[in-house]
Amino acid sequence: MEWHNKHNNRKMPWKGEKDPYKIWLSEVILQQTRVDQGMAYYERFVQNYPSVKDLAAAEDEAVFKLWEGLGYYNRCKNLLFTARFITENYGGKFPTEYDEIVALKGVGPYTAAAIASFAFNKPFAVVDGNVFRVLSRLFAIETAIDSTAGKQHFTALAQEVLDKENAGLYNQAIMDFGATVCKPLNPQCHTCHLQKVCVGYSKAVVNKLPVKEKVLLKKNRWFYYFILECKGEVLVEKRVLKDIWENLYEFYLVESNEQLYWDDTTVKEWLHQQLSIAEATVLAISPLQKQQLTHQLIKGQFIKVSLFSIPNNLKHHQWHPINQLKDLAFPKFINQYLNGD
Ligand code: SF4
């Protein structure tokens, strides 16, 4: 909340909005649409139909025309249905209770919590991808966020840590924090307000969180291995998750869904930001390596770094003598690199 009050400058046209109709509209538009694309649609909808009653009275065709280009027309159908339902059953006034809101067609728990908290300051935590990510890192929870157990666990935790007096502001704060500070890739740990209490950061596992169960569905994966060397030893880790190469060893991994571009400067920035490593020498950045598995194409690079000392957050990791790496079982992708194939 302190970060939100002093440093949050993420702008959204619907931010601070108290009108449940407009919050609902923005949430429905954003369900499967990127913010930059959805913004213009939101503004056009609000201009043409400033209230639930206006939308309810609109011709279907006119509303569909306005929706054109957003896709997933079911959302638009539900929008119209629900606007008419509210007009008929609630006299055009948006219901104020969570249970009533979540019962509306096309409104799931996330949207209902957003409307209930933003418009009516009701104590319901929103749980979107941003919130899951922040919580999983902050508490270093390795339960997969897309598993049934994970969804239950994170939803309960989100509700537990919610500031119940200021639910609207709090929900906005944590979502914006996830989108701008605790970002999926390259979170701003070094300057983060929560760094001192962040368990993921203190254990240097931020880049492994949140865990997702459905990694196997991904066809293209980018693996960037940091070979961190210090006084003749190298950081190694055993892969323990249900994923490819289970039980084999690897170096410090940063996985990405897209290609990243590394040079001396970006590597040092990354080490500083993520692992609090202020002094390091980048010894080598390998060319792109590839390995085709049955259902996945793995591409990546190896980044060799020499450290002057081991930072506290990496002290509890496994360090192995560099001249005895042959004793460990690595996946082929790594062996290829080590053998210079
Ligand atoms: Fe997220 Fe890093 Fe802050 Fe932890 S220290 S909350 S991982 S940005």
Side-chain angles (χ1 to χ4, degrees):
M1 293 290 269
E2 188 189 307
W3 169 83
H4 180 64
N5 291 335
K6 292 189 188 154
H7 304 278
N8 183 8
N9 45 24
R10 189 172 179 227
K11 298 232 179 339
M12 301 276 193
W14 44 81
K15 216 157 138 179
E17 184 58 67
K18 292 271 170 231
D19 180 346
Y21 164 67
K22 291 183 188 159
I23 298 166
W24 169 58
L25 202 56
S26 69
E27 294 298 343
V28 174
I29 289 174
L30 287 190
Q31 268 162 22
Q32 270 117 347
T33 306
R34 289 193 324 273
V35 173
D36 50 348
Q37 194 202 355
M39 225 174 259
Y41 282 87
Y42 168 77
E43 273 157 8
R44 259 178 270 147
F45 261 88
V46 171
Q47 242 170 28
N48 282 276
Y49 310 114
S51 71
V52 183
K53 280 186 182 165
D54 295 320
L55 182 59
E59 295 283 336
D60 286 15
E61 285 312 310
V63 178
F64 280 120
K65 186 74 196 151
L66 211 58
W67 190 267
E68 201 174 63
L70 272 178
Y72 301 96
Y73 275 82
N74 237 359
R75 288 188 288 166
C76 187
K77 271 194 216 162
N78 286 341
L79 212 57
L80 267 169
F81 178 92
T82 297
R84 288 169 186 158
F85 180 85
I86 294 173
T87 304
E88 278 162 30
N89 294 279
Y90 293 97
K93 266 192 81 183
F94 220 94
T96 56
E97 295 305 321
Y98 177 86
D99 290 345
E100 294 170 312
I101 301 171
V102 82
L104 297 170
K105 198 168 182 185
V107 175
Y110 165 78
T111 305
I115 298 170
S117 66
F118 296 153
F120 309 115
N121 204 28
K122 298 264 158 102
F124 292 91
V126 293
V127 273
D128 68 348
N130 284 323
V131 175
F132 278 3
R133 184 172 59 256
V134 173
L135 295 179
S136 79
R137 288 174 175 170
L138 200 52
F139 293 94
I141 300 168
E142 290 181 1
T143 317
I145 55 169
D146 53 352
S147 64
T148 313
K151 279 183 197 150
Q152 281 170 357
H153 185 75
F154 284 105
T155 306
L157 180 60
Q159 193 60 32
E160 193 185 322
V161 296
L162 171 76
D163 178 345
K164 303 205 174 44
E165 305 292 307
N166 300 294
L169 277 180
Y170 171 89
N171 280 335
Q172 192 66 62
I174 191 164
M175 286 198 291
D176 287 353
F177 181 80
T180 60
V181 179
C182 199
K183 300 179 286 183
L185 212 64
N186 212 1
Q188 307 293 298
C189 298
H190 188 64
T191 47
C192 173
H193 275 61
L194 295 175
Q195 190 206 83
K196 286 198 173 65
V197 294
C198 180
V199 185
Y201 182 78
S202 70
K203 291 183 169 175
V205 292
V206 170
N207 292 289
K208 301 190 187 315
L209 298 169
V211 172
K212 287 188 190 149
E213 211 170 48
K214 301 204 174 74
V215 278
L216 292 175
L217 298 176
K218 279 191 249 161
K219 288 207 176 85
N220 288 297
R221 300 173 73 176
W222 296 90
F223 282 18
Y224 295 97
Y225 279 119
F226 281 74
I227 307 181
L228 304 173
E229 287 181 23
C230 189
K231 301 184 180 107
E233 292 189 318
V234 181
L235 188 154
V236 289
E237 293 184 313
K238 201 175 199 177
R239 288 179 67 87
V240 288
L241 295 174
K242 273 206 176 59
D243 190 4
I244 53 169
W245 308 336
E246 200 179 338
N247 289 325
L248 297 183
Y249 278 88
E250 64 182 358
F251 302 111
Y252 192 97
L253 172 66
V254 176
E255 182 176 353
S256 158
N257 287 335
E258 58 193 61
Q259 183 164 15
L260 304 177
Y261 298 91
W262 298 98
D263 59 23
D264 197 84
T265 313
T266 52
V267 169
K268 282 184 178 158
E269 267 172 18
W270 188 89
L271 291 169
H272 189 223
Q273 188 69 252
Q274 304 289 295
L275 301 174
S276 271
I277 295 172
E279 273 191 290
T281 310
V282 182
L283 300 173
I285 301 175
S286 80
L288 202 62
Q289 318 274 317
K290 289 183 195 169
Q291 190 187 353
Q292 180 69 57
L293 306 176
T294 318
H295 299 293
Q296 305 178 24
L297 175 62
I298 311 294
K299 292 188 231 173
Q301 281 172 287
F302 292 83
I303 300 160
K304 224 170 161 182
V305 177
S306 166
L307 305 181
F308 293 91
S309 60
I310 299 176
N312 279 338
N313 51 6
L314 291 178
K315 284 211 167 109
H316 301 292
H317 286 238
Q318 187 177 344
W319 292 82
H320 196 81
I322 200 163
N323 52 10
Q324 290 170 25
L325 283 180
K326 288 215 156 26
D327 298 347
L328 303 177
F330 290 106
K332 189 174 163 200
F333 186 78
I334 293 181
N335 276 329
Q336 273 174 355
Y337 164 78
L338 291 176
N339 298 332
D341 297 347

Short mmCIF file of all heavy atoms in Angstrom, two decimals, residues 9 23 26 61 63 72 83 103 116 127-128 159 162 201 246 316:
data_model
loop_
_atom_site.label_atom_id
_atom_site.label_comp_id
_atom_site.label_asym_id
_atom_site.label_seq_id
_atom_site.Cartn_x
_atom_site.Cartn_y
_atom_site.Cartn_z
N ASN A 9 2.56 4.47 -10.58
CA ASN A 9 2.02 5.42 -11.56
C ASN A 9 1.51 4.72 -12.80
O ASN A 9 1.58 5.25 -13.90
CB ASN A 9 3.06 6.51 -11.91
CG ASN A 9 4.42 5.89 -12.14
OD1 ASN A 9 4.49 4.71 -12.46
ND2 ASN A 9 5.48 6.66 -11.96
N ILE A 23 -16.57 -0.67 -14.28
CA ILE A 23 -15.57 -1.67 -13.86
C ILE A 23 -15.87 -3.00 -14.55
O ILE A 23 -14.99 -3.65 -15.11
CB ILE A 23 -15.58 -1.84 -12.32
CG1 ILE A 23 -15.19 -0.51 -11.65
CG2 ILE A 23 -14.65 -2.95 -11.87
CD1 ILE A 23 -15.49 -0.45 -10.18
N SER A 26 -14.94 -2.83 -18.23
CA SER A 26 -13.49 -2.92 -18.47
C SER A 26 -12.99 -4.34 -18.22
O SER A 26 -12.17 -4.86 -18.98
CB SER A 26 -12.73 -1.92 -17.59
OG SER A 26 -12.81 -2.30 -16.24
N GLU A 61 -27.42 -5.39 -32.78
CA GLU A 61 -26.50 -5.18 -33.92
C GLU A 61 -25.51 -4.06 -33.66
O GLU A 61 -24.33 -4.16 -33.99
CB GLU A 61 -27.31 -4.87 -35.20
CG GLU A 61 -27.98 -6.10 -35.79
CD GLU A 61 -27.04 -7.29 -35.91
OE1 GLU A 61 -25.93 -7.10 -36.45
OE2 GLU A 61 -27.37 -8.39 -35.42
N VAL A 63 -24.42 -3.01 -30.80
CA VAL A 63 -23.43 -3.39 -29.79
C VAL A 63 -22.38 -4.34 -30.39
O VAL A 63 -21.18 -4.19 -30.18
CB VAL A 63 -24.12 -4.02 -28.56
CG1 VAL A 63 -23.10 -4.46 -27.52
CG2 VAL A 63 -25.11 -3.05 -27.94
N TYR A 72 -14.10 -13.35 -29.52
CA TYR A 72 -14.83 -14.01 -28.41
C TYR A 72 -16.19 -13.34 -28.17
O TYR A 72 -16.43 -12.74 -27.14
CB TYR A 72 -13.99 -14.00 -27.12
CG TYR A 72 -12.67 -14.68 -27.25
CD1 TYR A 72 -11.52 -13.96 -27.52
CD2 TYR A 72 -12.59 -16.07 -27.13
CE1 TYR A 72 -10.29 -14.60 -27.66
CE2 TYR A 72 -11.36 -16.72 -27.26
CZ TYR A 72 -10.22 -15.98 -27.52
OH TYR A 72 -9.01 -16.60 -27.65
N ALA A 83 -26.73 -6.86 -18.89
CA ALA A 83 -27.23 -5.48 -18.79
C ALA A 83 -28.76 -5.49 -18.74
O ALA A 83 -29.38 -4.79 -17.94
CB ALA A 83 -26.75 -4.66 -19.98
N ALA A 103 -23.21 -14.20 -9.45
CA ALA A 103 -24.27 -14.99 -10.08
C ALA A 103 -24.64 -14.45 -11.46
O ALA A 103 -25.38 -15.09 -12.22
CB ALA A 103 -25.50 -15.02 -9.17
N ALA A 116 -16.85 -5.88 -6.63
CA ALA A 116 -17.24 -5.73 -5.22
C ALA A 116 -16.24 -4.87 -4.44
O ALA A 116 -16.62 -4.06 -3.60
CB ALA A 116 -17.38 -7.10 -4.56
N VAL A 127 -7.90 -12.37 -7.57
CA VAL A 127 -6.78 -13.29 -7.78
C VAL A 127 -6.59 -13.49 -9.29
O VAL A 127 -7.28 -14.28 -9.89
CB VAL A 127 -6.97 -14.65 -7.07
CG1 VAL A 127 -6.47 -14.60 -5.66
CG2 VAL A 127 -8.42 -15.08 -7.06
N ASP A 128 -5.69 -12.73 -9.85
CA ASP A 128 -5.35 -12.92 -11.25
C ASP A 128 -3.90 -13.41 -11.32
O ASP A 128 -3.27 -13.66 -10.28
CB ASP A 128 -5.57 -11.63 -12.05
CG ASP A 128 -4.58 -10.53 -11.64
OD1 ASP A 128 -3.90 -10.69 -10.62
OD2 ASP A 128 -4.50 -9.53 -12.37
N GLN A 159 -6.90 -14.01 0.12
CA GLN A 159 -7.97 -13.52 0.98
C GLN A 159 -7.43 -13.22 2.38
O GLN A 159 -7.81 -12.24 3.01
CB GLN A 159 -9.09 -14.58 1.02
CG GLN A 159 -10.39 -14.11 1.60
CD GLN A 159 -11.03 -12.95 0.85
OE1 GLN A 159 -10.89 -12.81 -0.36
NE2 GLN A 159 -11.71 -12.08 1.58
N LEU A 162 -5.31 -9.97 2.41
CA LEU A 162 -6.04 -8.78 1.95
C LEU A 162 -6.21 -7.75 3.07
O LEU A 162 -6.50 -8.12 4.21
CB LEU A 162 -7.43 -9.24 1.47
CG LEU A 162 -8.46 -8.18 1.14
CD1 LEU A 162 -8.12 -7.53 -0.20
CD2 LEU A 162 -9.86 -8.78 1.06
N TYR A 201 13.08 -14.09 -2.76
CA TYR A 201 14.31 -13.33 -2.99
C TYR A 201 15.42 -13.83 -2.07
O TYR A 201 16.55 -14.06 -2.51
CB TYR A 201 14.06 -11.85 -2.77
CG TYR A 201 15.28 -11.01 -3.06
CD1 TYR A 201 15.64 -10.72 -4.37
CD2 TYR A 201 16.08 -10.53 -2.04
CE1 TYR A 201 16.77 -9.98 -4.65
CE2 TYR A 201 17.21 -9.79 -2.30
CZ TYR A 201 17.56 -9.52 -3.61
OH TYR A 201 18.67 -8.79 -3.89
N GLU A 246 13.79 -34.54 -15.22
CA GLU A 246 13.59 -34.68 -13.78
C GLU A 246 14.76 -35.44 -13.16
O GLU A 246 15.21 -36.45 -13.72
CB GLU A 246 12.27 -35.41 -13.52
CG GLU A 246 11.75 -35.19 -12.14
CD GLU A 246 10.42 -35.92 -11.91
OE1 GLU A 246 9.73 -36.24 -12.89
OE2 GLU A 246 10.11 -36.16 -10.74
N HIS A 316 23.09 -21.14 0.42
CA HIS A 316 22.50 -22.44 0.72
C HIS A 316 22.26 -23.29 -0.52
O HIS A 316 21.70 -24.37 -0.44
CB HIS A 316 21.20 -22.26 1.51
CG HIS A 316 21.45 -21.53 2.80
ND1 HIS A 316 22.18 -22.10 3.82
CD2 HIS A 316 21.14 -20.28 3.20
CE1 HIS A 316 22.30 -21.21 4.80
NE2 HIS A 316 21.67 -20.10 4.44
#
